[in-house]
Amino acid sequence: MPANNAHGSNRPILVIVAGPPAGGKGTISEHLVADIGLYQISTGDLLRDEIARGTEAGDKAMKLMRAGRLVPEGIVNSMVFSKLETAEVRRKGAILDGFPRTESQAAALADYCSNSNWWRVDAYIAIDVPEEVLLERAAGRRIDPVTKLVYHVKFNPPPADIAARLQIREDDQPHRQRRRIATYRENAAPIERVFSNRLVHIDGDQPMHGVYQQFVEKMLVACWGGDSGRKHSTIPAKWNEFLAEEKKKQNASKL
Ligand code: AP5
């Protein structure tokens, strides 16, 4: 259980995974949930859940999402901040997937953190992927409505026995995907300025394991490297080995 001290080493981890639509944010988040038990806060998933439950927020979001447009931030911000207030998320630490998506959302998050006893952004990791690759990833994406797992017909094929129940997202149609990419590109630089001291870019135009490896390395250095003092026991042993090597390199460069 983290200590109730925002500046102490035991505060929960908060990592932002940023990147264009179909850039691989959800895929990385799924792995981090499995590997170290972080809580994934995906605004897209939260909104799709509101739609499925027929809530007022879901009704407002539905048309905009189908068209590939952003949902009003009043809806999105309160969804994220109320998750961050829960005991489960504070205990596990969080990966923010799909938030913030505008400069104003970024400012609201920075504000929220500066007024919080718990949360500070440890890393803002942006995945870079070229447009033609994004279009191919969106075109082949398939969602399992039962497990919510995400597959790709070519890059991550689903098991044959669930193929018939898989769904295609409406906003993955090429013209909608292009609009979402354009919106992402318009907003990326202003958001990155807000988190410039936590910002790292990784190359997302690689097979999944290569992208994940880069992500983990950047995250480890940001969260457990240097003098953060976090307990390494919370991460898999193979990652401790990487950190030990990093530490050696850092010490050698100081000599
Ligand atoms: P959201 O659901 O967040 O969509 P997105 O950001 O557009 O991201 P995606 O879910 O499309 O992609 P991803 O990066 O997670 O990629 P994935 O891992 O699935 O948001 C949907 C909508 O909700 C928005 O358009 C907006 O309307 C609204 N919304 C959400 N947040 C909002 C906010 N903060 N403010 C306002 N509105 C908001 O991968 C894609 C595919 O590629 C998969 O099939 C996967 O298997 C495959 N793949 C992944 N990595 C690789 C790889 N390295 N190589 C090959 N294939 C790969």
Side-chain angles (χ1 to χ4, degrees), residues 19-28 42-45 47-48 61 64-66 68-73 76 97-102 105 127 137-138 140-142 150-153 155-156 169 171-172 177 180 204 206-209 211:
K25 303 181 293 297
T27 302
I28 284 175
S42 156
T43 41
D45 287 349
L47 287 165
R48 281 184 284 276
L64 292 162
M65 287 178 74
R66 286 193 177 148
R69 296 184 188 281
L70 294 181
V71 169
E73 74 176 51
V76 178
D97 161 7
F99 182 89
R101 233 179 254 242
T102 61
Q105 289 179 14
I127 314 169
R137 287 192 192 163
R141 172 161 44 191
R142 298 292 181 271
V150 176
Y151 296 94
H152 191 282
V153 289
F155 303 121
N156 181 22
R169 268 172 49 177
D171 57 357
D172 274 343
Q177 168 69 344
R180 291 158 66 213
Q206 291 188 27
M208 285 177 206
H209 67 270
V211 181

Side-chain angles (χ1 to χ4, degrees), residues 73-87:
E73 74 176 51
I75 297 176
V76 178
N77 292 6
S78 59
M79 277 184 346
V80 172
F81 300 148
S82 59
K83 279 280 175 202
L84 290 173
E85 292 297 314
T86 63

